[in-house]
Amino acid sequence: QKEVEQDPGPLSVPEGAIVSLNCTYSNSAFQYFMWYRQYSRKGPELLMYTYSSGNKEDGRFTAQVDKSSKYISLFIRDSQPSDSATYLCAMSAGGNNRLAFGKGNQVVVIP
Amino acid sequence: EAQVTQNPRYLITVTGKKLTVTCSQNMNHEYMSWYRQDPGLGLRQIYYSMNVEVTDKGDVPEGYKVSRKEKRNFPLILESPSPNQTSLYFCASSLPPPGFYGYTFGSGTRLTVV
């Protein structure tokens, strides 16, 4: 079983829809959870950061962590064409442990 | 502006011709790392460095070398590139500890080896 699983299948949604992305993981030591956004021909940029379980909201973006199920989610409300990008989940046990990345999910928001 | 700068952005080279991809960060980060990104495989770590003169292998180090003589610079060296090293490469840096802060990535270097 891979450490972090993220379905890489492209996701196309109409403008204004809710985008739902998720990752599962196997390492119960993970406690820092992040989502990165990567535009075409650019490097990933940190979008959301969550410690342990719970929800975090930032504008149209909500990150959820369920440590009991080893499952994290990212929701994008009122999606815009500018949200079209690849979204990568990442997580770490903290300290000097490196980040473990999912493969990324390509999202296309159609005007 | 706080950033990680990679050069070149695009590079086409021939098999066996040594090349260096430079990486520089202006955030005084101790941790730096190189990744390659391939379709269907995601980001895979090549090498990382916890501090000056301290480097270690990641998941896919074969065919690559790195050095960390100064805190700000972390060049990636391909001494004898092969076509299977055709990929998109990213340099990243972080405050310590890296597992807590997350990374700042460069804009990438697209390398083609023919």
Side-chain angles (χ1 to χ4, degrees), chain B residues 13-30:
Chain B
T13 190
V14 296
T15 299
K17 185 177 181 181
K18 180 179 180 179
L19 66 91
T20 299
V21 183
T22 64
C23 174
S24 180
Q25 50 91 6
N26 62 0
M27 296 166 283
N28 204 35
H29 285 172
E30 292 182 2

Side-chain angles (χ1 to χ4, degrees), chain A residues 2 8 32 34 36 38 40-46 49 51 86 88 91-104, chain B residues 9-10 31 35 37 40-43 45 48 50 57-59 88 90 96-108 110:
Chain A
K2 290 192 185 298
Y32 299 95
M34 305 167 203
Y36 284 79
Q38 184 178 13
S40 180
R41 287 189 278 276
K42 295 284 191 182
E45 58 176 341
L46 184 62
Y49 178 103
Y51 170 69
T86 295
L88 300 96
M91 47 200 79
S92 167
N96 286 333
N97 293 289
R98 57 182 175 160
L99 290 184
F101 286 90
K103 291 183 179 179
Chain B
R9 289 293 311 277
Y10 301 92
Y31 181 88
Y35 286 84
Q37 187 177 41
L41 297 176
L43 284 167
Q45 190 177 47
Y48 65 95
M50 298 297 290
K57 296 177 181 178
D59 298 317
L88 180 58
F90 289 104
F100 177 78
Y101 286 100
Y103 303 162
T104 300
F105 284 88
S107 294
R110 183 164 294 281

